[in-house]
Amino acid sequence: MSSEYNRSSLPLPIFHGENYDFWSIKMRTYFRSQNLWKIVEEGITIPEDIISLSEDQKKALEDNQQKDSHALYCLQQAMADNLFPRIMSAATAKEAWDTLQEEFQGTIKVRIVRLQKLRRDFENLKMKDNETAKDYYSRIKEIVNQMGAYGEIISDKNIVQKILISCTEKYDSIVSMIEETKDLETLSPTELMGSLEAYESRRERHKESEAENAFQSKINPKSHLEKDCWFKGKPQCQNCKKFGHTEKTCRLKKSHQANLSEETKDENNLFYVCQAAIEEGKDTWYLDSGCSNHMTKNEGIFCSLDRSKTKVKIGNGDFMEAVGKGTIAIDTKKGKRYIKDVLLVPNIDQNLLSVGQMIEKRYSLHFEGDSCTIYDKQDKSFQIAKVKNERK
C-alpha cells in the first residue's frame, strides 16, 4: 500500500434512504480527505495487457486498486442494512456510487426537474403571520442548502432581498429603515437577521408592558356604583385628582407642577434635546439603526440610574455591557429636558439614538444624505428636528 495513503478513524455517516444530498456531500468530503475521491468519481481503468506494463505502472495500478477497494468498503459500511443490497454486487467504488446517485438523486433530467421545483419554492416563500424572523430564515436556508446540493448557489444578496420583500406587514417600519439606511449590496443575511431580531425584542417588550398595564387595570376595578360613591357631589381637583378641593387650593400643585410638566413631555422633548445639544456644541447624538436602546457614555447627565448590568447590541452586531439604565437630564436653551430608558454604556465612543425605539414610539423618520428629519407622531407635516446619522 502506498505511503501516501492514510486510513481515517473518523466514523462514516450512515445512509438510511433519506436526505441523500446531505449524505453524499459528507461522503465526498470524507473521500477527499483520504485522497480517494478521484477513484470514486472517475473509477480505475485496468489495461488488457498487464504483462507489458513497467514495474512503476504495475505499482501505480496496484495502489489504485487498493484505494478503490477501500473506497468501496467505506461505501458498504456507510449503508444501513436494508440498503446494502443496492450496492452488494458492485465491483468498484464508482459503480456503487453511480448506483446510489441514480436511484436516490436521479438522472440529470430528474435533477433538473427537482431543481426547478426548489426554485419555485424559493420564489414563493413568504413569512407566516405568527412566524419569527429566525424561524423564517431557517426555512429559507433549508431550501437554499438543497439548491446548493444540486449545484445552484444562491448569493447572500439574493437571500437578503428575499427576506426584505417577503416579511409580514408588522416588519414594514424596520424594513423601510433598513432599505433607506443600509447598503443592500453588502448587507449580509446575518446582519439583517440581527436587526430584525432586535426589532422583535423591542416589540415583545412593548407588548409585555401593555399586558402588565391591562392586568393592573383589571385587578383595580371600580368597587362601587356612582350612586353609592362617598365623594358624590364633592369637587375634584384637576391637579392631584383627589376629591374635596379644587386645583386653585391644591397644596401639591406648586411642588409638583414643574416636575409634572417636564415628565409629561419627556418623549416629545427627546429630539429637541438632541438638536439643542448639537447647536450648543455639546456631545452630539447620532441616529443608529442597529442599537436596541438610546445609549450614552456620560454618567454625569443621569438624574436617576438603575445600576443593573446587561448586554446590549450595537449597530455593527457586536455586544457591549451596559452598567445601568435610567433617565438623563440635559440643559438646553429652553431649560432642563429629560429622556427616559437610556442605557449607560461606558465603552461606546458616541451617544446613540435608537431608530427602533423611535419607530416604536410612532415617530416618522425621513432619511436623506447623512441626516434624518424627524416628524411629529401626531402631525406628520410638522418637523421636530434634523439629526445626524451614525458615523461609520
Side-chain angles (χ1 to χ4, degrees):
M1 182 177 292
S2 171
S3 60
E4 296 179 358
Y5 177 66
N6 178 37
R7 289 178 179 269
S8 172
S9 60
L10 295 175
L12 291 165
I14 306 301
F15 182 50
H16 295 276
E18 298 178 349
N19 296 322
Y20 171 80
D21 295 322
F22 291 171
W23 174 82
S24 64
I25 291 173
K26 295 176 183 178
M27 288 301 298
R28 278 199 296 269
T29 302
Y30 174 83
F31 285 138
R32 288 192 179 104
S33 73
Q34 298 298 297
N35 196 27
L36 296 173
W37 175 240
K38 186 175 181 181
I39 293 291
V40 176
E41 184 179 33
E42 299 178 5
I44 61 173
T45 301
I46 300 177
E48 294 181 359
D49 188 6
I50 298 179
I51 299 177
S52 63
L53 295 177
S54 66
E55 290 300 318
D56 288 342
Q57 289 175 326
K58 289 180 180 178
K59 183 173 177 55
L61 177 60
E62 180 183 355
D63 187 55
N64 285 337
Q65 286 176 315
Q66 288 177 333
K67 287 183 177 181
D68 182 63
S69 296
H70 182 63
L72 178 59
Y73 171 78
C74 290
L75 286 171
Q76 291 172 345
Q77 294 302 308
M79 291 291 103
D81 288 344
N82 63 315
L83 295 176
F84 175 71
R86 304 288 210 288
I87 62 171
M88 187 170 58
S89 61
T92 65
K94 176 175 172 55
E95 183 181 352
W97 183 265
D98 290 346
T99 298
L100 293 171
Q101 186 176 49
E102 183 174 352
E103 179 172 353
F104 293 100
Q105 192 175 49
T107 62
I108 294 179
K109 183 177 180 180
V110 171
R111 296 182 66 188
I112 291 174
V113 171
R114 290 179 180 174
L115 183 56
Q116 280 294 102
K117 180 183 182 303
L118 289 171
R119 287 171 180 160
R120 286 195 298 271
D121 291 343
F122 181 77
E123 184 69 25
N124 294 329
L125 265 179
K126 292 183 184 296
M127 180 183 280
K128 300 175 183 178
D129 289 338
N130 296 322
E131 192 171 28
T132 65
K134 182 178 180 180
D135 290 341
Y136 181 47
Y137 183 55
S138 296
R139 287 203 295 130
I140 290 177
K141 285 294 292 181
E142 183 178 355
I143 291 181
V144 168
N145 289 338
Q146 290 182 39
M147 295 175 73
Y150 284 99
E152 182 155 328
I153 305 301
I154 305 299
S155 68
D156 285 351
K157 176 183 174 181
N158 286 339
I159 294 175
V160 167
Q161 290 175 340
K162 178 63 184 178
I163 295 172
L164 290 175
I165 65 174
S166 58
C167 283
T168 54
E169 186 178 349
K170 68 181 180 182
Y171 294 91
D172 283 353
S173 58
I174 188 66
V175 166
S176 297
M177 182 273 295
I178 290 171
E179 290 176 338
E180 292 183 19
T181 61
K182 300 290 186 181
D183 183 359
L184 301 186
E185 296 292 325
T186 59
L187 180 64
S188 71
T190 302
E191 291 175 311
L192 173 59
M193 292 307 301
S195 295
L196 294 180
E197 289 176 15
Y199 176 73
E200 284 179 340
S201 296
R202 292 199 59 79
R203 283 177 57 92
E204 193 61 31
R205 290 200 301 271
H206 185 65
K207 287 180 180 179
E208 289 176 357
S209 177
E210 289 181 343
E212 182 178 353
N213 291 337
F215 176 74
Q216 290 296 332
S217 66
K218 287 182 179 180
I219 65 175
N220 292 292
K222 293 181 179 179
S223 58
H224 59 271
L225 300 176
E226 181 180 356
K227 66 182 180 65
D228 299 321
C229 182
W230 295 342
F231 300 107
K232 183 177 182 181
K234 295 182 180 181
Q236 182 183 18
C237 175
Q238 295 304 308
N239 178 54
C240 69
K241 305 303 180 184
K242 293 183 179 180
F243 290 88
H245 65 276
T246 63
E247 181 179 1
K248 183 177 181 181
T249 59
C250 181
R251 291 177 297 174
L252 300 176
K253 181 177 181 181
K254 290 185 178 180
S255 60
H256 289 279
Q257 190 171 27
N259 289 338
L260 182 62
S261 174
E262 293 298 340
E263 291 187 6
T264 55
K265 293 191 247 181
D266 282 343
E267 289 298 333
N268 288 332
N269 286 330
L270 172 60
F271 308 115
Y272 292 112
V273 171
C274 301
Q275 186 68 9
I278 294 170
E279 291 172 355
E280 295 178 11
K282 298 184 179 181
D283 289 344
T284 304
W285 288 76
Y286 290 89
L287 286 174
D288 189 343
S289 59
C291 68
S292 55
N293 284 82
H294 306 316
M295 303 180 193
T296 182
K297 63 179 179 180
N298 188 355
E299 183 175 350
I301 62 176
F302 281 88
C303 59
S304 66
L305 183 63
D306 175 6
R307 292 188 176 276
S308 299
K309 294 183 179 181
T310 185
K311 292 289 185 181
V312 295
K313 191 172 187 178
I314 58 177
N316 63 2
D318 292 337
F319 286 87
M320 286 188 174
E321 183 177 57
V323 298
K325 181 177 182 180
T327 301
I328 66 173
I330 297 181
D331 292 317
T332 73
K333 293 177 180 179
K334 297 185 178 181
K336 192 177 292 291
R337 294 293 183 262
Y338 298 89
I339 309 175
K340 293 181 178 179
D341 297 328
V342 181
L343 296 178
L344 175 59
V345 184
N347 292 330
I348 60 172
D349 57 2
Q350 57 197 21
N351 300 319
L352 302 178
L353 287 177
S354 167
V355 172
Q357 196 165 342
M358 286 187 287
I359 290 175
E360 185 179 294
K361 297 296 183 181
R362 303 188 184 281
Y363 286 95
S364 180
L365 283 68
H366 176 70
F367 295 88
E368 184 172 357
D370 64 349
S371 64
C372 173
T373 304
I374 304 160
Y375 295 94
D376 184 75
K377 55 186 175 183
Q378 303 297 333
D379 182 1
K380 300 300 183 184
S381 64
F382 178 66
Q383 176 180 327
I384 291 177
K386 179 174 282 192
V387 185
K388 293 181 181 179
N389 292 334
E390 180 195 9
R391 294 175 295 182
K392 298 296 182 184

